[in-house]
């Protein structure tokens, strides 16, 4: 075949020296292609380098991130819920079924690009081994530290708060759970709670021994989840933990309590329920629609 012969002719060069000896040099298969463009090669190299994620600070156990999952790494309402220990938690047929928000995971990773810390699970995902394992897999895929521990599941919601609003009762219990963990780990110097809950409610009904949470929390959007702005606020809190005198803490607590009691008069000290009107407990009705989050962690 003529074309095949021509191709082989391009791949082989015959050189004859003065003595009449024939030498052969094999040509490259792509000798006929133009040489590479240095500018294009540099652009490809830069793009490849850009895909390499920045390095992370080493895990620092003197700093803690109390991590919620629903509303932080996973949009609220996307998981089927089941009752475990009296609380609603996601049901995952397989750990791979957890579709964590990739942008939120990037934001969480950004925290560790600026400061070393450790992770304590405060979410209801801590209630089953399967859910905790799913979180661990997600963290591992981004090179993040594994879960150091979890807050206690032994504490119960306060009945008086449940009567006012279940969300307030839920948030206040989470504050006590975080406080309990901190009391058992006195070496922790800085911490932040990543959560979609409003911890002003917890500060307004603060129990003895519970820390003020609003000033040390980053409230994420329950649907969009954790953002870059949330990450940088968490970094700020971990680097410069807020510090208050006892009087300043009491003042913050009083302001939060006033706001909460305006919306829920039954939370005022000494509150007495009005008499029933037409068979309906007037005092048991909330004066306004409940908060958007119904305490499903």
């Amino acid at each position: 075949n003529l074309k095949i012969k021509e191709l082989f002719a391009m791949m082989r060069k015959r050189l004859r020296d003065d003595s009449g000896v024939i030498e052969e040099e094999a040509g490259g298969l792509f000798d006929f292609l133009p040489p590479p463009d240095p500018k294009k090669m540099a652009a490809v190299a830069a793009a490849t380098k850009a895909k390499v994620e920045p390095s992370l600070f080493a895990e620092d156990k003197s700093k803690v991130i109390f991590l919620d999952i629903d509303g932080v790494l996973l949009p609220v309402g996307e998981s089927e819920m089941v009752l475990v220990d009296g609380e609603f938690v996601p049901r995952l047929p397989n750990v791979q079924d957890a579709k964590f928000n990739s942008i939120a995971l990037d934001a969480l990773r950004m925290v560790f690009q600026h400061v070393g810390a450790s992770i304590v699970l405060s979410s209801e995902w801590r209630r089953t081994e399967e859910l905790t394992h799913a979180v661990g897999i997600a963290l591992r895929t981004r090179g993040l530290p594994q879960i150091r521990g979890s807050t206690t599941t032994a504490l119960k919601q306060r009945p008086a708060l449940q009567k006012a609003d279940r969300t307030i009762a839920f948030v206040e219990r989470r504050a006590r759970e975080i406080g309990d963990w901190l009391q058992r780990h006195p070496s922790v110097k800085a911490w932040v709670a990543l959560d979609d809950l409003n911890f002003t409610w917890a500060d307004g009904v603060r129990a003895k021994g519970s820390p003020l949470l609003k000033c040390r929390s980053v409230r994420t959007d329950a649907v969009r989840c954790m953002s870059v702005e949330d990450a940088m606020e968490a970094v700020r809190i971990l680097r410069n933990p807020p510090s208050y005198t006892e009087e300043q803490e009491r003042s913050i607590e009083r302001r939060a309590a006033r706001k909460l009691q305006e919306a829920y008069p039954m939370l005022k000290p000494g509150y007495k329920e009005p008499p029933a009107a037409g068979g309906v407990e007037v005092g048991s009705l909330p004066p306004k629609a409940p908060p958007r989050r119904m305490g499903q962690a």
Side-chain angles (χ1 to χ4, degrees), residues 207-229:
K208 185 177 180 180
S210 291
L212 287 174
L213 256 293
K214 179 62 177 177
C215 60
R216 290 180 181 257
S217 67
V218 176
R219 188 182 182 189
T220 61
D221 185 284
V223 176
R224 292 194 295 268
C225 299
M226 188 175 178
S227 66
V228 171
E229 292 75 17

Side-chain angles (χ1 to χ4, degrees), residues 5-6 20 22 30 34 36 52-54 72 89 105 133 136 146 160 164 185 193 208 217 240 249 260 271 278-279:
K5 290 181 179 179
E6 290 176 352
I22 297 176
F30 301 105
V52 177
E53 293 186 306
V72 178
V89 301
L105 282 170
H133 184 47
Q146 284 300 287
H185 298 82
K208 185 177 180 180
S217 67
N240 302 289
E249 287 196 359
L260 206 54
Y271 173 82

Side-chain angles (χ1 to χ4, degrees), residues 139-204:
L139 297 177
R140 194 155 49 245
T141 60
R142 303 315 311 275
L144 293 167
Q146 284 300 287
I147 298 169
R148 170 181 177 178
S150 301
T151 53
T152 180
T153 59
L155 302 181
K156 304 300 180 184
Q157 295 181 15
R158 286 158 54 183
L161 297 181
Q162 284 184 315
K163 193 171 185 180
D165 187 276
R166 290 186 61 85
T167 303
I168 296 173
F170 181 86
V171 177
E172 187 277 334
R173 184 189 63 184
R174 180 159 292 181
R176 280 187 287 127
E177 291 165 348
I178 290 175
D180 170 80
W181 193 95
L182 288 169
Q183 288 175 3
R184 290 184 284 107
H185 298 82
S187 61
V188 172
K189 305 302 180 185
W191 56 273
V192 64
L194 297 179
D195 214 305
D196 66 323
L197 296 173
N198 185 355
F199 282 110
T200 300
W201 301 333
D203 291 348

Side-chain angles (χ1 to χ4, degrees), residues 274-282:
V280 178
E281 292 290 334
V282 177

